[in-house]
Amino acid sequence: EEYKHIILSHFPEIWDKLFIETSQSGGYHLIYRHSNKPEGSRKLAMQLIDGKRDTLIETKEEGGYVIVYHSPGYVPVQGSLTTLNTLTDDERHFLLEVARSFNEIPEQDVSHNSKFPSNQSITRPGDIFNEQGEHSDLLQEIGWILVGVKGNIEYWRRPDKNKGISATFNYVPNKLYVFTSNAEPFELNKTYDKFAIYTQLKCGGDFKYAARKVKEDYPHLFTNNGNVLVAPASPKATHTNGTAQNGSSNLVDVQFPPRTIFWHETTDARGKPKLSLSKSNLINFLEYHGYGKLWLDKNLSHFINIKDHIVTEETPETIIDFVKKTVQQLPEGYLTENYTKHDIWETLLNSITKLKSKDYLETLKGYDLKFIRDTLDTAYFFFKNGIVEVTKDAITLKPFNNIHHYIWKEQIIPHDFNQLDEETASESANCLIGRFFERVCSPANKEFPGDRSKRVIDLARLEALITAIGYLLHTYQNPALTKAVIICEEKISRDDEANGRTGKGLTAYAISKLRKRVVYNGKQVDFDDRFFYQKISPDTQLLYFDDVKKNFDFEALFSFLTEGFSIEYKGMKPIDVPFDKTPKVLISTNSVLSNDTDSHRARKFEIEYSDYFSADYTPVDEFGGNFFEKGWPDDDPEWDRFYNFMLYCVKHYFNNSLSSYTPVNLNERKLLAMMPEEFIEFSDIIYDKMQKGEKVYREKIYEDFVAEYKSYGPNSKFAVSQRATTKWFNFYLKIKKIDFVEARITTRGDRSRYWILSKYNINNTLINDEGNNGF
């Protein structure tokens, strides 16, 4: 598993090329083709079992053999023996190098102990450097690259090499084990402790010279006589029933490897003690504990912390807070003789402005991390106990040790996932959230409008809602499906009647339990504000516009939904967010987004919510309690039912895409949002005439409407123009999905425009009153 993990982390395409089988003794065979001349079989990694050497990994090549499937006890894991893939030189070399990294018995150990053994009790410079020194800077200074860390084991790549692993540190305890050639001054299959690394790189392999020079290069590791450490080895505060092993209570869990101790005691010109701060060591300390910056693009980075592939977004304030907690919980007199931890913090405070400055903290290591992201046919959800993978075929819980990329801490759901059987999980009636969705998809019974018990679930609408939730939970941006989900009211308001409280907010909140969202107050949306999108962070997965008004500028979201967008943070350059990293969009409204052009329809998926719930009758009244944290204790089985049903919504979406349904009042509400109710009634009458084959002229519609409804005539309270009535009637015909044509006709030199139903337009060619064809 460790071998597989390393390959998948650094060169994942190799793994899929291998034929893999298990042997009858529990071992593995990894079989491939290679075009070069085969070499003889070799032992790549050895191990000690009960003091005896034993082969751990070996090759079988020219002159060697293996027994394979179909022989009894040999089971294929992946691939086929009859279709073996050919590896390139680089791929094969990488496989062998990774195998050598597991060798526990190197050919030779290079150290000052092996050259100058000592039986004395005195601590030698080499011993001190091995205890307190740092090897990383020495290796990086000559071009070695730290390519990964797993547990306490570091994986290094030699200079002038683009891929692969050349050495490990700490696989052989506290030693650099080199298993590649061309790594001067290090030799193949030898180990080097920290002092040996220093000696090889700085002193030409001369240990006697290195013992003198190391005290000059690292004076903070030694007292004036150069023989004794200022303090004992740096401890790691380990909690045991609330008390750390070194006797102090509630110590922060922090280590201080060499060159991360950011304070040190020296003497001034008069020989008096002085406490100094090392800004470079403070950066080393922060980097050791996972702090760095994540590049969003070439112009902008965010501060982050990385622990075991989990990434947290940080700020200068949270970073300094970590340093403060570290100092405050140190043992008194730690690595100093004359100063307390309070003195250390005071010294830090004297430089706090510089330490919190962006210029200083931006010297932290930069990362370009690859995060686990949804794909076209797979969605991932992160729970406390593992990763849930959702496809069209299954919902599967996988352990975190399968992680090969990174995840945001904010995206981890703070519950364990306990999977239910699919029959239970997929039935909306089996969970509170499902029954809530059933209610909002239950229109009023026309015969018994006030009796909720008489309502019947609109199953097509429920299906549409379930697929819409699955669509929003699936963060992959499919360029063939670029929709904002819009939840609006089914009930039509009359006069100044106020609707709302139908459950739209609870739906959005339910989605936010699985995906990180940013909420915008729909009443205060200003797309002209250049900093409008600065609330969005790299881990945002959903944009929720809450309770937008009918004049909401939906067109301002067009490019967001189909092309990506730009974020401009105050005092920083804008960054471009590509389409594939944009959040999904959910909009709720008590009115309706009336514009219904082709461009708008292509970007909207609208669902009506019935008035089952209202300000006077809430989900609490229906179900007898609150949802989520306010109503469910952590061990309430309703959490399991909720998460299983929501994930089923994703699976259902994968199998059905977005399901449409026939709206009840959506089109009527769009008409009312665009035009007066009187004009809708007037248009119904005009449409009856069109069904009899009549042409309807623009001028005539205007004249007849203002004649019948005086309050809309010239100089009246609600005066309208012919342009307005023309626009209204065009919208009426489109919303009603009436098949019509609009044309103009010339009669005795006068040109007039009119509408006529397509079925009365012979061959879609209009005939004017004088018998001439034309428009």
Side-chain angles (χ1 to χ4, degrees):
E1 288 302 317
E2 292 180 31
Y3 183 69
K4 174 182 176 181
H5 173 79
I6 295 172
I7 294 171
L8 290 177
S9 298
H10 300 281
F11 216 151
E13 56 267 34
I14 297 179
W15 195 258
D16 292 336
K17 291 185 177 183
L18 301 172
F19 168 73
I20 304 174
E21 67 178 6
T22 58
S23 71
Q24 60 181 353
S25 60
Y28 286 86
H29 295 158
L30 279 57
I31 303 179
Y32 59 91
R33 290 187 185 276
H34 187 244
S35 57
N36 287 1
K37 182 180 178 180
E39 302 175 14
S41 300
R42 288 165 292 167
K43 298 184 186 300
L44 302 175
M46 303 296 292
Q47 61 185 339
L48 284 173
I49 298 180
D50 297 328
K52 296 181 180 180
R53 296 167 61 95
D54 184 68
T55 301
L56 181 64
I57 308 176
E58 63 183 329
T59 64
K60 292 294 185 182
E61 302 190 37
E62 186 74 15
Y65 74 93
V66 288
I67 300 173
V68 298
Y69 176 78
H70 289 268
S71 297
Y74 294 82
V75 180
V77 176
Q78 84 172 25
S80 168
L81 267 175
T82 61
T83 55
L84 291 176
N85 293 301
T86 300
L87 299 189
T88 66
D89 285 346
D90 286 344
E91 290 171 335
R92 176 172 177 268
H93 190 61
F94 181 77
L95 281 182
L96 301 184
E97 279 192 344
V98 174
R100 291 189 185 102
S101 74
F102 288 88
N103 185 26
E104 299 176 5
I105 313 174
E107 290 179 0
Q108 183 180 343
D109 175 52
V110 179
S111 71
H112 68 300
N113 288 321
S114 60
K115 289 185 177 292
F116 304 103
S118 173
N119 296 320
Q120 302 175 21
S121 59
I122 188 172
T123 303
R124 298 172 297 172
D127 300 328
I128 293 173
F129 191 83
N130 280 335
E131 183 68 35
Q132 294 290 314
E134 178 57 67
H135 63 285
S136 299
D137 291 349
L138 291 167
L139 293 172
Q140 290 172 339
E141 186 177 321
I142 64 166
W144 283 72
I145 298 172
L146 180 63
V147 296
V149 178
K150 189 171 189 295
N152 293 322
I153 302 171
E154 299 173 357
Y155 297 90
W156 290 86
R157 181 189 304 144
R158 66 170 171 80
D160 302 321
K161 187 174 182 179
N162 296 325
K163 278 193 174 183
I165 301 172
S166 307
T168 57
F169 188 86
N170 216 34
Y171 186 82
V172 177
N174 300 311
K175 300 287 179 67
L176 179 75
Y177 168 47
V178 180
F179 42 84
T180 186
S181 54
N182 301 319
E184 259 187 70
F186 305 115
E187 297 182 47
L188 174 67
N189 206 24
K190 293 184 179 181
T191 59
Y192 301 81
D193 61 20
K194 292 180 183 180
F195 187 57
I197 296 171
Y198 170 82
T199 301
Q200 296 297 318
L201 297 182
K202 296 294 186 179
C203 304
D206 186 337
F207 281 98
K208 286 185 177 181
Y209 173 58
R212 298 192 304 271
K213 190 173 187 307
V214 72
K215 290 184 284 187
E216 299 173 6
D217 290 347
Y218 300 94
H220 62 283
L221 298 182
F222 306 90
T223 60
N224 290 335
N225 63 18
N227 290 324
V228 184
L229 281 173
V230 172
S234 303
K236 179 176 182 181
T238 306
H239 295 272
T240 307
N241 297 326
T243 302
Q245 289 180 355
N246 58 11
S248 301
S249 61
N250 299 319
L251 291 183
V252 68
D253 186 18
V254 170
Q255 287 179 311
F256 286 96
R259 304 199 70 176
T260 68
I261 302 169
F262 49 84
W263 69 95
H264 55 274
E265 185 177 331
T266 60
T267 57
D268 61 17
R270 294 173 295 178
K272 292 186 177 182
K274 176 183 177 182
L275 187 63
S276 299
L277 174 68
S278 171
K279 294 177 183 176
S280 62
N281 277 14
L282 179 56
I283 290 294
N284 294 340
F285 167 77
L286 291 171
E287 289 180 344
Y288 180 83
H289 289 285
Y291 288 91
K293 59 182 185 287
L294 174 69
W295 288 110
L296 302 181
D297 69 2
K298 62 182 180 181
N299 296 321
L300 184 65
S301 61
H302 278 193
F303 296 120
I304 58 170
N305 181 262
I306 307 173
K307 288 182 180 176
D308 299 326
H309 288 258
I310 309 298
V311 181
T312 307
E313 190 171 359
E314 303 285 349
T315 65
E317 290 73 23
T318 61
I319 294 173
I320 294 300
D321 189 53
F322 172 74
V323 176
K324 179 181 179 181
K325 289 179 180 177
T326 301
V327 173
Q328 288 178 336
Q329 299 182 45
L330 288 173
E332 286 296 355
Y334 185 72
L335 297 181
T336 67
E337 294 180 346
N338 299 287
Y339 294 96
T340 67
K341 60 186 178 184
H342 177 75
D343 297 323
I344 297 172
W345 179 239
E346 284 293 326
T347 304
L348 284 164
L349 283 177
N350 290 333
S351 301
I352 199 69
T353 302
K354 291 182 179 179
L355 297 181
K356 287 179 63 176
S357 74
K358 199 171 187 321
D359 289 340
Y360 172 67
L361 290 177
E362 280 189 341
T363 63
L364 286 165
K365 180 179 180 180
Y367 293 91
D368 184 11
L369 304 178
K370 188 170 183 179
F371 288 86
I372 299 177
R373 299 184 63 87
D374 290 1
T375 64
L376 177 63
D377 52 10
T378 307
Y380 298 97
F381 298 85
F382 312 114
F383 287 82
K384 286 169 59 179
N385 62 331
I387 303 173
V388 176
E389 180 184 272
V390 183
T391 66
K392 68 182 182 65
D393 298 315
I395 298 173
T396 309
L397 176 65
K398 296 186 174 182
F400 275 116
N401 59 19
N402 282 349
I403 289 182
H404 306 304
H405 300 306
Y406 294 85
I407 63 177
W408 288 103
K409 185 177 181 179
E410 284 286 320
Q411 293 177 359
I412 298 178
I413 299 163
H415 288 93
D416 287 338
F417 179 71
N418 300 306
Q419 191 162 7
L420 306 177
D421 65 271
E422 183 168 345
E423 184 176 355
T424 300
S426 62
E427 180 56 57
S428 57
N430 288 338
C431 60
L432 287 177
I433 196 67
R435 295 201 291 276
F436 164 77
F437 291 148
E438 291 178 348
R439 304 299 191 270
V440 299
C441 292
S442 300
N445 188 313
K446 294 181 179 179
E447 296 182 14
F448 307 96
D451 189 347
R452 288 182 173 81
S453 66
K454 300 293 185 182
R455 296 188 179 216
V456 177
I457 302 170
D458 182 343
L459 295 178
R461 193 192 311 188
L462 178 61
E463 169 87 358
L465 177 58
I466 287 174
T467 60
I469 290 169
Y471 167 78
L472 292 172
L473 290 173
H474 180 219
T475 61
Y476 177 81
Q477 289 287 16
N478 184 352
L481 193 62
T482 54
K483 303 275 190 181
V485 175
I486 301 170
I487 306 174
C488 59
E489 308 288 339
E490 171 193 311
K491 185 178 180 182
I492 296 176
S493 299
R494 299 296 179 183
D495 299 323
D496 292 327
E497 178 187 4
N499 285 340
R501 308 285 292 178
T502 54
K504 302 184 295 294
L506 182 57
T507 302
Y509 190 70
I511 296 171
S512 77
K513 304 311 294 178
L514 293 98
R515 295 304 193 195
K516 185 181 177 184
R517 67 173 179 173
V518 165
V519 181
Y520 285 98
N521 186 332
K523 301 180 181 69
Q524 300 173 357
V525 172
D526 180 10
F527 289 113
D528 292 328
D529 179 1
R530 56 193 284 207
F531 305 115
F532 178 74
Y533 287 124
Q534 69 175 346
K535 292 169 63 175
I536 299 175
S537 59
D539 56 346
T540 300
Q541 298 167 302
L542 178 71
L543 236 57
Y544 175 44
F545 293 92
D546 181 25
D547 192 21
V548 306
K549 298 308 176 186
K550 64 180 180 181
N551 61 349
F552 177 72
D553 186 9
F554 185 64
E555 286 188 15
L557 286 174
F558 278 15
S559 62
F560 185 101
L561 292 167
T562 57
E563 301 169 13
F565 67 106
S566 293
I567 301 178
E568 186 169 354
Y569 300 94
K570 292 182 180 179
M572 301 180 185
K573 294 180 180 179
I575 65 166
D576 293 326
V577 180
F579 167 70
D580 65 326
K581 293 184 179 178
T582 57
K584 292 288 180 74
V585 176
L586 173 64
I587 299 172
S588 70
T589 176
N590 289 343
S591 53
V592 71
L593 305 187
S594 57
N595 199 320
D596 216 51
T597 65
D598 290 343
S599 295
H600 282 72
R601 285 199 303 272
R603 294 171 172 85
K604 292 194 292 189
F605 186 78
E606 298 169 293
I607 300 176
E608 296 169 305
Y609 268 32
S610 75
D611 62 345
Y612 191 99
F613 299 113
S614 66
D616 299 322
Y617 189 79
T618 68
V620 174
D621 299 318
E622 174 77 8
F623 299 110
N626 286 301
F627 281 48
F628 309 121
E629 292 87 351
K630 291 183 178 180
W632 307 341
D634 285 344
D635 58 352
D636 194 314
E638 195 58 46
W639 284 110
D640 293 336
R641 293 191 283 266
F642 166 72
Y643 287 124
N644 275 264
F645 180 75
M646 295 294 279
L647 297 186
Y648 166 76
C649 291
V650 181
K651 182 174 182 288
H652 192 70
Y653 162 70
F654 282 149
N655 285 280
N656 298 277
S657 190
L658 288 172
S659 300
S660 60
Y661 78 104
T662 302
V664 177
N665 291 319
L666 184 59
N667 290 336
E668 189 72 12
R669 286 172 60 80
K670 289 180 179 180
L671 290 173
L672 286 169
M674 176 66 74
M675 65 194 69
E677 188 174 354
E678 294 89 339
F679 190 82
I680 298 173
E681 295 173 353
F682 174 79
S683 298
D684 289 340
I685 297 171
I686 298 300
Y687 176 54
D688 287 340
K689 295 179 179 179
M690 292 179 70
Q691 288 184 302
K692 298 174 183 177
E694 291 189 22
K695 299 184 182 71
V696 178
Y697 291 88
R698 289 184 174 186
E699 300 88 342
K700 184 68 171 169
I701 278 193
Y702 171 73
E703 293 167 0
D704 289 351
F705 177 66
V706 299
E708 184 169 348
Y709 298 95
K710 305 294 185 184
S711 60
Y712 293 94
N715 303 319
S716 298
K717 181 179 180 181
F718 304 113
V720 296
S721 64
Q722 180 180 317
R723 179 187 293 271
T725 57
T726 298
K727 180 180 179 181
W728 291 349
F729 193 66
N730 262 323
F731 190 75
Y732 172 89
L733 294 173
K734 290 177 181 177
I735 286 293
K736 294 285 189 177
K737 294 183 172 55
I738 296 170
D739 192 8
F740 73 97
V741 292
E742 186 180 8
R744 60 174 175 262
I745 190 170
T746 303
T747 306
R748 300 179 182 87
D750 295 329
R751 303 177 70 189
S752 300
R753 289 182 178 272
Y754 68 88
W755 295 273
I756 188 172
L757 296 186
S758 296
K759 64 182 180 180
Y760 293 110
N761 176 28
I762 301 173
N763 296 325
N764 285 329
T765 302
L766 298 182
I767 302 175
N768 66 21
D769 290 345
E770 295 178 341
N772 296 320
N773 294 337
F775 289 91

